Amino acid sequence: MKKFLAMLLAVVMVLSMAACGSKTPAETTAAPTSGDTTPAETTVAEPEVVDTYTYHTYITQLANNWNPHTWEVNADDTILSYVSTPLATMSILDSENGVYQWVYQAATYVEDVTAEHQDDLDKYGASLPEGATSADVTSGYVYEIGLNPDMRWEDGTPINADTYIYSMKALLDPAMKNYRANLYYAGESAVAGGDKYYYAGDTAYVDALGAYAMEDLVKNDDGTYSTADGLPMYIAVAFPLDWTSGNTLADYVGAYGDQYFDVTNWETLTGMADENGLIPLTDDNLALFAPVTTGNEAWGETEADLPNYFVYSKSYPECGYDETVGCYKVDDYTIRYVCQTALARDYFLTSCTSNWLVYEDLYEAGKDTTGSLVTTSYNTNMDNTMSYGPYKFESIQEGKQMVLVQNEEWYGYEKQADGTLLSMTDYDVDGAPVQRYQTTSIVIDVMTDDAAKQAFLKGQLSNWTASAEELVTYGASDRLYKVDETYTMSLFMCVGLDKLKEMDASKGNTNSVVLSNVNFRKAMSLAIDRSEYVTATAGYKPAFGMLNSLYMYNAYEDPTSSYRNSDEAMQAICNLYGVEYGEGTPYATLKDAYDSINGYNLTEAKALMKQACDELVAEGLYTAGEPIVIRIGWAKGSMGTADNQQVTLLNKYVNAALEGSGFGTLTFEAVDNINDRYGDTAKGEYAIGYGAWGGAAFYPFRNFQVYCDPDQYSIHEAGSWDPTTTDLTINVDGEDVTMTWQMWSRSMVGTGPYANADFSTKLHILATMEEEYLKLVYRIPLATTTACELVSYQLDYYTEDYNIMYGFGGLELMRYNYSDAEWADFVASQGGTLNYE
């Protein structure tokens, strides 16, 4: 899904077009009459002028690896999207109402055939629900895929079931350990037996993710520990972990040393680590390791956190593909895919929005067997690339430019009388087929942002991504497309009193202990005029809750199922801000009341500040009238104009609320160039951090794990509370249920007690968690983000109404207002410079 959504949101390169114009054939003069004595003269027909439509874009560095088995960065993936065809994708059904549809491309159908092929579950070792046998399972595991018989490589070679099976076998090849194989041997759409073949004859080392405590493990005769089923357990010294955000502990110790760690035993531990950065888990080794992460208060961990550094190994026997992997040929144009775990059809279709195909001859010819792993140069330059997508390479100038043109062998094109290629959707969009892929060529140039701006204004580029500062100038342009993102920019806090006192004593703060008072924090939030705050950065939108309108609780079945617009979510925010509706109030309906909220109430903020000051003075934590200085961990890189303006506004807002309260003036000092402001705030380097969480838009019920489940995520507010021990009571179906915040955050995920509850129940739980969490004021939401791009007058997206399921219609459906020749004339008529303000 991440890959799919990134492709939808990559407006930098994903555009499309309108109807091709055709020219009237040139005519010759008539033959001479019989009375003519002068030799007949004929006019030689001039070559027919064919309209072209070029999409010019730019990038700071060209892609260099669009192999579907090994690509890594977005630039590679974008090229891959041009030269490949997914089995299925999403497109527009009804643009006015934002309704999507699944459409097939390299596939002709995808059908759940689990009930008819239950034997495949045992044959390929699918993981069944606890206590179930294959005879009990009738859906969600075996999918039959009908293959499009018109699919061909750019050289005309047919693509059939053998192509798919060869490609899957190559992808999972244990001798290659391809990077993108992880999408098929692990994760929710893993193919059954994929891990067994990928690791055949090898040992896998798996991040235990804190799933095993010492009491869960078995101590062996040699003193080492293993899981109950015999998997050896290790301690990660220099092994990447989710707990350390994909980094290794060695990375952090190397960067911070004794500032955050007890390094007494560190040299001994690194000397013991094997080539994977692991040491066996024994009592002695754990005793050596524990002080590193628990012996320095600055790192902020206890012995309870040690299992997050555990890794187990699993050895796999040698095996062959055919008898092991559940992706197999049925006939020349049919394959079956057996999932390792149950996967609903819509989620399986989501996995079909990418493809794993490679061209066998070039893939094999590019192999290098001289290293410890076999590699291939496939899809790294023009000579070793074979397209099966709507475009193919025409030229590559290394480090400078790539040019792609229409691939005449792509199944969707029909050659016209004038030689042009025309493609119409084989599905209805807004009630009728429409033209797709009008673009005849794509030119990608390497440019700096400044050079790109100048080229765009001269009509030489189709798009330009303006900086935050530039968007102040172009924010009102009718050529600006805004893509809403799931990220909510917030102030997150470290308000534990002891940590605040330490920051006041040695971290550059003055009287930051005021943040320990919840009324002070609530007043801060109410003092912020978010409508004005978002003007400092073009594209920001005000935020009053944790989740914005992109979060869908039933996206595949109900395109209107926005969490933010549900009654439960709207009521939570009305409760938070004390806004009522109905008789005797200004608002007739819940929606009216919710729409009135702007998060700003200076009168209430002033009253709360006065109350907070009185409470803090009474507790002996603050002396009335003294100044307050609070450092904010603001940015990983350097702060720009927009950042500085945001900080200026925050100072203005909060000081307005402080007037007459008894507090002195407050100064927020923003700090930039911080490697890890999230972790540093949690540890007590900063009382406030600035950043965002986002993602999981199609299942918002897991969202609060990022705030409450330290076994899964690094909790940014860890310096404020412990969600693993703090209880929350929610009334569910008439019964008060009390669990820790951590357990509530897990309650609607996986095997949680409400994972299979109806949407009404889950919406109630999520909305209650959002309301109660915001009342703690450990995080103050400020704004949601957008990705903004200016698009040339030469072309238009199919729709201006962005939808997370299909973007604006993408490259497939974009239409051109001018051919290349017409565009050149238009730019010249404007004096060579265009106005986009």
Side-chain angles (χ1 to χ4, degrees), residues 63-72 75-77 79-85 153-154 355-367 375-389 391 393 396 402 404:
N64 58 27
N65 171 30
W66 43 96
N67 179 350
H69 296 179
T70 57
W71 71 271
E72 294 190 32
D76 298 333
D77 191 31
I79 297 299
L80 185 56
S81 73
Y82 295 146
V83 300
S84 65
T85 300
W153 296 101
E154 67 176 86
N355 213 325
W356 62 86
L357 295 187
V358 293
Y359 187 82
E360 182 173 355
D361 290 351
L362 290 177
Y363 196 88
E364 293 294 331
K367 282 187 175 179
T375 60
T376 180
S377 60
Y378 180 73
N379 270 21
T380 57
N381 58 53
M382 269 191 64
D383 295 336
N384 57 31
T385 297
M386 187 67 71
S387 172
Y388 66 103
Y391 297 94
F393 277 110
I396 298 178
M402 288 179 168
L404 297 99

Short mmCIF file of all heavy atoms in Angstrom, two decimals, residues 63-72 75-77 79-85 153-154 355-367 375-389 391 393 396 402 404:
data_model
loop_
_atom_site.label_atom_id
_atom_site.label_comp_id
_atom_site.label_asym_id
_atom_site.label_seq_id
_atom_site.Cartn_x
_atom_site.Cartn_y
_atom_site.Cartn_z
N ALA A 63 17.23 8.35 -12.04
CA ALA A 63 17.12 6.97 -11.57
C ALA A 63 18.26 6.16 -12.16
O ALA A 63 18.75 6.44 -13.25
CB ALA A 63 15.77 6.39 -12.00
N ASN A 64 18.68 5.11 -11.43
CA ASN A 64 19.74 4.24 -11.97
C ASN A 64 19.45 2.76 -11.78
O ASN A 64 20.27 1.93 -12.11
CB ASN A 64 21.10 4.59 -11.36
CG ASN A 64 21.09 4.49 -9.85
OD1 ASN A 64 20.32 3.74 -9.26
ND2 ASN A 64 21.96 5.26 -9.20
N ASN A 65 18.25 2.44 -11.24
CA ASN A 65 17.93 1.03 -11.05
C ASN A 65 16.42 0.86 -10.95
O ASN A 65 15.83 1.08 -9.90
CB ASN A 65 18.59 0.50 -9.77
CG ASN A 65 18.11 -0.90 -9.42
OD1 ASN A 65 17.77 -1.69 -10.30
ND2 ASN A 65 18.05 -1.22 -8.14
N TRP A 66 15.79 0.49 -12.08
CA TRP A 66 14.34 0.29 -12.09
C TRP A 66 14.01 -1.21 -12.23
O TRP A 66 12.96 -1.58 -12.73
CB TRP A 66 13.68 1.13 -13.18
CG TRP A 66 14.40 1.12 -14.50
CD1 TRP A 66 14.15 0.33 -15.57
CD2 TRP A 66 15.51 1.96 -14.87
NE1 TRP A 66 15.02 0.62 -16.59
CE2 TRP A 66 15.86 1.61 -16.19
CE3 TRP A 66 16.21 2.96 -14.21
CZ2 TRP A 66 16.91 2.24 -16.86
CZ3 TRP A 66 17.26 3.57 -14.88
CH2 TRP A 66 17.61 3.23 -16.19
N ASN A 67 14.92 -2.03 -11.76
CA ASN A 67 14.67 -3.47 -11.67
C ASN A 67 13.59 -3.71 -10.61
O ASN A 67 13.77 -3.30 -9.46
CB ASN A 67 15.97 -4.17 -11.27
CG ASN A 67 15.82 -5.67 -11.12
OD1 ASN A 67 14.72 -6.23 -11.12
ND2 ASN A 67 16.94 -6.37 -10.98
N PRO A 68 12.46 -4.34 -10.95
CA PRO A 68 11.39 -4.52 -9.95
C PRO A 68 11.81 -5.37 -8.77
O PRO A 68 11.13 -5.37 -7.74
CB PRO A 68 10.27 -5.20 -10.76
CG PRO A 68 10.98 -5.87 -11.90
CD PRO A 68 12.12 -4.97 -12.24
N HIS A 69 12.93 -6.07 -8.88
CA HIS A 69 13.40 -6.93 -7.79
C HIS A 69 14.34 -6.21 -6.83
O HIS A 69 14.58 -6.72 -5.73
CB HIS A 69 14.11 -8.15 -8.36
CG HIS A 69 13.23 -9.04 -9.18
ND1 HIS A 69 13.69 -10.18 -9.79
CD2 HIS A 69 11.91 -8.97 -9.47
CE1 HIS A 69 12.69 -10.77 -10.44
NE2 HIS A 69 11.60 -10.03 -10.26
N THR A 70 14.86 -5.05 -7.23
CA THR A 70 15.90 -4.42 -6.40
C THR A 70 15.78 -2.91 -6.26
O THR A 70 16.61 -2.30 -5.59
CB THR A 70 17.30 -4.74 -6.96
OG1 THR A 70 17.38 -4.30 -8.31
CG2 THR A 70 17.60 -6.24 -6.89
N TRP A 71 14.80 -2.27 -6.91
CA TRP A 71 14.73 -0.80 -6.86
C TRP A 71 14.63 -0.34 -5.41
O TRP A 71 14.13 -1.03 -4.55
CB TRP A 71 13.56 -0.27 -7.68
CG TRP A 71 12.21 -0.54 -7.09
CD1 TRP A 71 11.43 -1.64 -7.29
CD2 TRP A 71 11.49 0.29 -6.18
NE1 TRP A 71 10.27 -1.54 -6.56
CE2 TRP A 71 10.27 -0.37 -5.87
CE3 TRP A 71 11.74 1.53 -5.59
CZ2 TRP A 71 9.32 0.18 -5.00
CZ3 TRP A 71 10.80 2.07 -4.72
CH2 TRP A 71 9.61 1.40 -4.45
N GLU A 72 15.09 0.91 -5.17
CA GLU A 72 15.12 1.41 -3.79
C GLU A 72 14.49 2.78 -3.62
O GLU A 72 13.79 3.01 -2.64
CB GLU A 72 16.57 1.45 -3.27
CG GLU A 72 17.19 0.07 -3.13
CD GLU A 72 18.52 0.10 -2.41
OE1 GLU A 72 18.69 0.96 -1.53
OE2 GLU A 72 19.39 -0.73 -2.73
N ALA A 75 12.68 7.75 -7.43
CA ALA A 75 13.03 8.02 -8.82
C ALA A 75 13.06 6.73 -9.62
O ALA A 75 12.63 6.68 -10.78
CB ALA A 75 14.39 8.73 -8.90
N ASP A 76 13.58 5.64 -9.02
CA ASP A 76 13.59 4.33 -9.69
C ASP A 76 12.17 3.83 -9.90
O ASP A 76 11.82 3.32 -10.97
CB ASP A 76 14.36 3.31 -8.85
CG ASP A 76 15.82 3.67 -8.63
OD1 ASP A 76 16.38 4.38 -9.48
OD2 ASP A 76 16.39 3.25 -7.61
N ASP A 77 11.36 3.96 -8.87
CA ASP A 77 9.99 3.46 -8.94
C ASP A 77 9.17 4.20 -9.98
O ASP A 77 8.31 3.61 -10.65
CB ASP A 77 9.34 3.58 -7.55
CG ASP A 77 8.02 2.85 -7.46
OD1 ASP A 77 7.88 1.82 -8.15
OD2 ASP A 77 7.15 3.29 -6.70
N ILE A 79 10.27 5.50 -12.84
CA ILE A 79 10.63 4.93 -14.14
C ILE A 79 9.97 3.56 -14.31
O ILE A 79 9.42 3.24 -15.38
CB ILE A 79 12.16 4.81 -14.29
CG1 ILE A 79 12.80 6.20 -14.26
CG2 ILE A 79 12.52 4.07 -15.58
CD1 ILE A 79 12.35 7.13 -15.36
N LEU A 80 9.99 2.77 -13.28
CA LEU A 80 9.37 1.44 -13.34
C LEU A 80 7.89 1.55 -13.68
O LEU A 80 7.35 0.72 -14.42
CB LEU A 80 9.58 0.72 -12.00
CG LEU A 80 9.12 -0.73 -11.89
CD1 LEU A 80 9.77 -1.59 -12.96
CD2 LEU A 80 9.44 -1.27 -10.50
N SER A 81 7.22 2.58 -13.17
CA SER A 81 5.79 2.73 -13.46
C SER A 81 5.54 3.05 -14.93
O SER A 81 4.47 2.76 -15.45
CB SER A 81 5.19 3.83 -12.58
OG SER A 81 5.62 5.12 -12.99
N TYR A 82 6.52 3.64 -15.64
CA TYR A 82 6.37 3.95 -17.05
C TYR A 82 6.59 2.71 -17.92
O TYR A 82 5.97 2.57 -18.97
CB TYR A 82 7.37 5.02 -17.49
CG TYR A 82 7.18 6.37 -16.86
CD1 TYR A 82 8.28 7.18 -16.56
CD2 TYR A 82 5.92 6.87 -16.56
CE1 TYR A 82 8.11 8.44 -15.98
CE2 TYR A 82 5.74 8.11 -15.97
CZ TYR A 82 6.85 8.89 -15.69
OH TYR A 82 6.69 10.13 -15.12
N VAL A 83 7.50 1.83 -17.51
CA VAL A 83 7.91 0.72 -18.38
C VAL A 83 7.32 -0.62 -17.93
O VAL A 83 7.74 -1.66 -18.40
CB VAL A 83 9.46 0.63 -18.46
CG1 VAL A 83 10.03 1.91 -19.04
CG2 VAL A 83 10.08 0.32 -17.09
N SER A 84 6.36 -0.59 -17.02
CA SER A 84 5.71 -1.82 -16.57
C SER A 84 4.21 -1.60 -16.50
O SER A 84 3.72 -0.47 -16.61
CB SER A 84 6.26 -2.26 -15.21
OG SER A 84 5.93 -1.32 -14.22
N THR A 85 3.48 -2.68 -16.31
CA THR A 85 2.02 -2.63 -16.24
C THR A 85 1.56 -3.44 -15.04
O THR A 85 1.91 -4.62 -14.94
CB THR A 85 1.38 -3.19 -17.52
OG1 THR A 85 1.81 -2.41 -18.64
CG2 THR A 85 -0.14 -3.15 -17.45
N TRP A 153 6.18 -7.87 -24.44
CA TRP A 153 7.36 -7.04 -24.23
C TRP A 153 7.53 -6.11 -25.42
O TRP A 153 6.92 -6.33 -26.49
CB TRP A 153 8.60 -7.91 -24.05
CG TRP A 153 8.58 -8.78 -22.82
CD1 TRP A 153 8.29 -10.11 -22.78
CD2 TRP A 153 8.84 -8.39 -21.48
NE1 TRP A 153 8.35 -10.57 -21.48
CE2 TRP A 153 8.69 -9.53 -20.66
CE3 TRP A 153 9.18 -7.17 -20.87
CZ2 TRP A 153 8.88 -9.50 -19.28
CZ3 TRP A 153 9.38 -7.14 -19.51
CH2 TRP A 153 9.22 -8.28 -18.72
N GLU A 154 8.34 -5.10 -25.29
CA GLU A 154 8.48 -4.11 -26.36
C GLU A 154 9.05 -4.70 -27.64
O GLU A 154 8.90 -4.11 -28.72
CB GLU A 154 9.32 -2.92 -25.91
CG GLU A 154 10.79 -3.23 -25.66
CD GLU A 154 11.59 -1.99 -25.32
OE1 GLU A 154 11.64 -1.61 -24.14
OE2 GLU A 154 12.17 -1.40 -26.25
N ASN A 355 3.97 -5.09 -10.03
CA ASN A 355 4.20 -6.35 -10.72
C ASN A 355 5.66 -6.76 -10.53
O ASN A 355 6.50 -5.93 -10.19
CB ASN A 355 3.88 -6.21 -12.21
CG ASN A 355 3.34 -7.50 -12.80
OD1 ASN A 355 3.73 -8.60 -12.41
ND2 ASN A 355 2.42 -7.37 -13.75
N TRP A 356 5.94 -8.03 -10.73
CA TRP A 356 7.29 -8.55 -10.46
C TRP A 356 7.98 -9.07 -11.72
O TRP A 356 9.02 -9.71 -11.64
CB TRP A 356 7.21 -9.67 -9.41
CG TRP A 356 6.39 -10.88 -9.82
CD1 TRP A 356 6.84 -11.96 -10.54
CD2 TRP A 356 5.02 -11.15 -9.53
NE1 TRP A 356 5.83 -12.88 -10.71
CE2 TRP A 356 4.70 -12.42 -10.10
CE3 TRP A 356 4.02 -10.46 -8.85
CZ2 TRP A 356 3.43 -12.98 -10.00
CZ3 TRP A 356 2.76 -11.03 -8.75
CH2 TRP A 356 2.46 -12.27 -9.32
N LEU A 357 7.44 -8.74 -12.90
CA LEU A 357 7.94 -9.35 -14.13
C LEU A 357 9.33 -8.85 -14.54
O LEU A 357 9.64 -7.66 -14.41
CB LEU A 357 6.98 -9.07 -15.29
CG LEU A 357 5.60 -9.69 -15.20
CD1 LEU A 357 4.85 -9.47 -16.50
CD2 LEU A 357 5.67 -11.17 -14.87
N VAL A 358 10.14 -9.78 -15.06
CA VAL A 358 11.42 -9.45 -15.68
C VAL A 358 11.54 -10.23 -16.99
O VAL A 358 10.91 -11.28 -17.17
CB VAL A 358 12.61 -9.78 -14.75
CG1 VAL A 358 12.63 -8.87 -13.54
CG2 VAL A 358 12.61 -11.25 -14.32
N TYR A 359 12.34 -9.70 -17.91
CA TYR A 359 12.56 -10.32 -19.21
C TYR A 359 13.72 -11.30 -19.07
O TYR A 359 14.86 -10.91 -18.81
CB TYR A 359 12.88 -9.24 -20.23
CG TYR A 359 12.96 -9.70 -21.67
CD1 TYR A 359 11.82 -9.87 -22.44
CD2 TYR A 359 14.20 -9.95 -22.26
CE1 TYR A 359 11.89 -10.27 -23.76
CE2 TYR A 359 14.29 -10.35 -23.58
CZ TYR A 359 13.13 -10.51 -24.34
OH TYR A 359 13.22 -10.90 -25.65
N GLU A 360 13.43 -12.57 -19.24
CA GLU A 360 14.37 -13.63 -18.86
C GLU A 360 15.74 -13.50 -19.52
O GLU A 360 16.77 -13.59 -18.83
CB GLU A 360 13.77 -15.01 -19.17
CG GLU A 360 14.67 -16.17 -18.75
CD GLU A 360 14.00 -17.52 -18.92
OE1 GLU A 360 12.80 -17.56 -19.29
OE2 GLU A 360 14.68 -18.55 -18.68
N ASP A 361 15.79 -13.30 -20.83
CA ASP A 361 17.08 -13.28 -21.52
C ASP A 361 18.00 -12.18 -20.99
O ASP A 361 19.18 -12.40 -20.72
CB ASP A 361 16.88 -13.10 -23.03
CG ASP A 361 16.26 -14.32 -23.69
OD1 ASP A 361 16.15 -15.37 -23.00
OD2 ASP A 361 15.85 -14.22 -24.86
N LEU A 362 17.45 -10.96 -20.81
CA LEU A 362 18.26 -9.85 -20.32
C LEU A 362 18.60 -10.03 -18.84
O LEU A 362 19.70 -9.66 -18.41
CB LEU A 362 17.54 -8.53 -20.53
CG LEU A 362 17.39 -8.04 -21.98
CD1 LEU A 362 16.58 -6.75 -22.03
CD2 LEU A 362 18.76 -7.84 -22.63
N TYR A 363 17.68 -10.56 -18.09
CA TYR A 363 17.92 -10.79 -16.66
C TYR A 363 19.07 -11.76 -16.47
O TYR A 363 19.98 -11.54 -15.64
CB TYR A 363 16.65 -11.33 -16.02
CG TYR A 363 16.60 -11.27 -14.51
CD1 TYR A 363 16.13 -10.13 -13.86
CD2 TYR A 363 16.99 -12.34 -13.73
CE1 TYR A 363 16.05 -10.06 -12.48
CE2 TYR A 363 16.92 -12.29 -12.34
CZ TYR A 363 16.45 -11.16 -11.71
OH TYR A 363 16.37 -11.10 -10.34
N GLU A 364 19.05 -12.84 -17.23
CA GLU A 364 20.11 -13.86 -17.11
C GLU A 364 21.42 -13.34 -17.66
O GLU A 364 22.49 -13.56 -17.08
CB GLU A 364 19.69 -15.13 -17.85
CG GLU A 364 18.51 -15.86 -17.23
CD GLU A 364 18.83 -16.44 -15.86
OE1 GLU A 364 20.00 -16.76 -15.60
OE2 GLU A 364 17.89 -16.55 -15.04
N ALA A 365 21.36 -12.60 -18.78
CA ALA A 365 22.59 -12.09 -19.39
C ALA A 365 23.29 -11.10 -18.48
O ALA A 365 24.52 -10.96 -18.53
CB ALA A 365 22.26 -11.43 -20.73
N GLY A 366 22.54 -10.42 -17.62
CA GLY A 366 23.13 -9.42 -16.74
C GLY A 366 23.66 -9.97 -15.44
O GLY A 366 24.19 -9.22 -14.60
N LYS A 367 23.57 -11.28 -15.22
CA LYS A 367 23.97 -11.84 -13.94
C LYS A 367 25.48 -11.83 -13.74
O LYS A 367 26.26 -12.08 -14.65
CB LYS A 367 23.44 -13.26 -13.80
CG LYS A 367 21.97 -13.33 -13.43
CD LYS A 367 21.51 -14.75 -13.13
CE LYS A 367 20.07 -14.79 -12.63
NZ LYS A 367 19.61 -16.16 -12.36
N THR A 375 24.08 -11.24 -8.60
CA THR A 375 23.40 -9.98 -8.91
C THR A 375 23.12 -9.93 -10.40
O THR A 375 23.61 -10.75 -11.17
CB THR A 375 24.26 -8.77 -8.52
OG1 THR A 375 25.50 -8.81 -9.26
CG2 THR A 375 24.57 -8.77 -7.03
N THR A 376 22.32 -8.95 -10.81
CA THR A 376 22.06 -8.75 -12.24
C THR A 376 22.00 -7.26 -12.52
O THR A 376 21.56 -6.47 -11.67
CB THR A 376 20.74 -9.41 -12.69
OG1 THR A 376 20.54 -9.18 -14.09
CG2 THR A 376 19.55 -8.88 -11.92
N SER A 377 22.44 -6.87 -13.71
CA SER A 377 22.40 -5.47 -14.12
C SER A 377 21.09 -5.11 -14.81
O SER A 377 20.93 -4.00 -15.29
CB SER A 377 23.57 -5.18 -15.08
OG SER A 377 23.47 -6.01 -16.24
N TYR A 378 20.15 -6.03 -14.81
CA TYR A 378 18.87 -5.84 -15.51
C TYR A 378 18.20 -4.52 -15.10
O TYR A 378 18.16 -4.16 -13.92
CB TYR A 378 17.95 -7.01 -15.21
CG TYR A 378 16.59 -6.93 -15.87
CD1 TYR A 378 16.45 -7.16 -17.25
CD2 TYR A 378 15.45 -6.64 -15.14
CE1 TYR A 378 15.22 -7.09 -17.86
CE2 TYR A 378 14.20 -6.57 -15.75
CZ TYR A 378 14.10 -6.80 -17.11
OH TYR A 378 12.86 -6.74 -17.71
N ASN A 379 17.66 -3.81 -16.11
CA ASN A 379 16.93 -2.55 -15.89
C ASN A 379 17.77 -1.50 -15.16
O ASN A 379 17.30 -0.84 -14.24
CB ASN A 379 15.64 -2.81 -15.11
CG ASN A 379 14.46 -3.11 -16.02
OD1 ASN A 379 14.63 -3.51 -17.17
ND2 ASN A 379 13.26 -2.92 -15.51
N THR A 380 18.99 -1.32 -15.65
CA THR A 380 19.82 -0.24 -15.13
C THR A 380 20.28 0.71 -16.23
O THR A 380 20.86 1.76 -15.94
CB THR A 380 21.06 -0.79 -14.39
OG1 THR A 380 21.81 -1.63 -15.28
CG2 THR A 380 20.64 -1.59 -13.16
N ASN A 381 20.06 0.35 -17.50
CA ASN A 381 20.34 1.26 -18.62
C ASN A 381 19.46 0.85 -19.80
O ASN A 381 18.66 -0.09 -19.71
CB ASN A 381 21.83 1.25 -19.00
CG ASN A 381 22.32 -0.15 -19.38
OD1 ASN A 381 21.74 -0.81 -20.24
ND2 ASN A 381 23.42 -0.59 -18.75
N MET A 382 19.58 1.58 -20.90
CA MET A 382 18.72 1.29 -22.06
C MET A 382 18.93 -0.10 -22.61
O MET A 382 17.98 -0.81 -22.98
CB MET A 382 19.00 2.31 -23.17
CG MET A 382 18.14 3.55 -23.11
SD MET A 382 18.31 4.53 -24.62
CE MET A 382 17.66 3.41 -25.85
N ASP A 383 20.19 -0.53 -22.68
CA ASP A 383 20.50 -1.79 -23.34
C ASP A 383 19.99 -3.01 -22.60
O ASP A 383 19.79 -4.07 -23.21
CB ASP A 383 22.03 -1.91 -23.54
CG ASP A 383 22.56 -0.86 -24.49
OD1 ASP A 383 21.77 -0.36 -25.32
OD2 ASP A 383 23.75 -0.52 -24.39
N ASN A 384 19.80 -2.90 -21.28
CA ASN A 384 19.34 -4.08 -20.55
C ASN A 384 17.92 -3.89 -20.00
O ASN A 384 17.52 -4.55 -19.05
CB ASN A 384 20.31 -4.44 -19.43
CG ASN A 384 20.53 -3.31 -18.44
OD1 ASN A 384 19.64 -2.51 -18.19
ND2 ASN A 384 21.75 -3.25 -17.87
N THR A 385 17.17 -2.98 -20.61
CA THR A 385 15.78 -2.74 -20.21
C THR A 385 14.83 -3.23 -21.29
O THR A 385 15.05 -2.98 -22.48
CB THR A 385 15.53 -1.24 -19.95
OG1 THR A 385 16.34 -0.81 -18.85
CG2 THR A 385 14.07 -0.97 -19.62
N MET A 386 13.78 -3.90 -20.86
CA MET A 386 12.73 -4.32 -21.79
C MET A 386 11.40 -3.89 -21.18
O MET A 386 10.99 -4.37 -20.13
CB MET A 386 12.76 -5.83 -22.00
CG MET A 386 11.81 -6.32 -23.08
SD MET A 386 12.25 -5.78 -24.75
CE MET A 386 13.71 -6.78 -25.06
N SER A 387 10.72 -3.00 -21.87
CA SER A 387 9.47 -2.45 -21.34
C SER A 387 8.28 -3.35 -21.66
O SER A 387 8.23 -3.99 -22.71
CB SER A 387 9.23 -1.06 -21.94
OG SER A 387 7.95 -0.57 -21.59
N TYR A 388 7.31 -3.36 -20.75
CA TYR A 388 5.99 -3.92 -21.05
C TYR A 388 4.92 -2.95 -20.55
O TYR A 388 3.79 -3.33 -20.27
CB TYR A 388 5.83 -5.31 -20.45
CG TYR A 388 5.81 -5.39 -18.94
CD1 TYR A 388 4.63 -5.57 -18.24
CD2 TYR A 388 7.00 -5.30 -18.21
CE1 TYR A 388 4.62 -5.65 -16.85
CE2 TYR A 388 7.00 -5.38 -16.83
CZ TYR A 388 5.80 -5.55 -16.16
OH TYR A 388 5.79 -5.63 -14.79
N GLY A 389 5.32 -1.67 -20.50
CA GLY A 389 4.41 -0.62 -20.07
C GLY A 389 4.07 0.30 -21.21
O GLY A 389 4.46 0.06 -22.36
N TYR A 391 5.26 3.10 -21.99
CA TYR A 391 6.40 3.85 -22.52
C TYR A 391 7.64 2.98 -22.54
O TYR A 391 7.74 1.98 -21.82
CB TYR A 391 6.64 5.13 -21.70
CG TYR A 391 5.46 6.07 -21.80
CD1 TYR A 391 4.45 6.04 -20.84
CD2 TYR A 391 5.33 6.93 -22.87
CE1 TYR A 391 3.34 6.86 -20.95
CE2 TYR A 391 4.23 7.76 -22.99
CZ TYR A 391 3.22 7.71 -22.03
OH TYR A 391 2.13 8.51 -22.16
N PHE A 393 12.19 3.38 -23.39
CA PHE A 393 13.27 4.35 -23.49
C PHE A 393 13.61 4.66 -24.95
O PHE A 393 13.65 3.76 -25.80
CB PHE A 393 14.53 3.82 -22.80
CG PHE A 393 14.54 4.05 -21.32
CD1 PHE A 393 14.40 3.00 -20.44
CD2 PHE A 393 14.65 5.34 -20.80
CE1 PHE A 393 14.39 3.20 -19.08
CE2 PHE A 393 14.66 5.55 -19.44
CZ PHE A 393 14.52 4.48 -18.57
N ILE A 396 19.10 7.86 -23.14
CA ILE A 396 19.54 8.24 -21.79
C ILE A 396 20.89 8.92 -21.93
O ILE A 396 21.82 8.36 -22.52
CB ILE A 396 19.68 7.02 -20.86
CG1 ILE A 396 18.33 6.32 -20.66
CG2 ILE A 396 20.26 7.45 -19.51
CD1 ILE A 396 18.41 5.07 -19.78
N MET A 402 16.75 11.70 -19.45
CA MET A 402 16.12 10.48 -19.94
C MET A 402 14.95 10.87 -20.84
O MET A 402 14.22 11.83 -20.54
CB MET A 402 15.58 9.64 -18.78
CG MET A 402 16.62 8.96 -17.93
SD MET A 402 15.83 8.03 -16.59
CE MET A 402 17.24 7.05 -16.00
N LEU A 404 11.62 9.02 -22.76
CA LEU A 404 10.80 7.84 -23.01
C LEU A 404 9.73 8.20 -24.04
O LEU A 404 9.24 9.32 -24.09
CB LEU A 404 10.12 7.35 -21.74
CG LEU A 404 11.04 6.87 -20.62
CD1 LEU A 404 11.23 7.97 -19.58
CD2 LEU A 404 10.51 5.61 -19.95
#
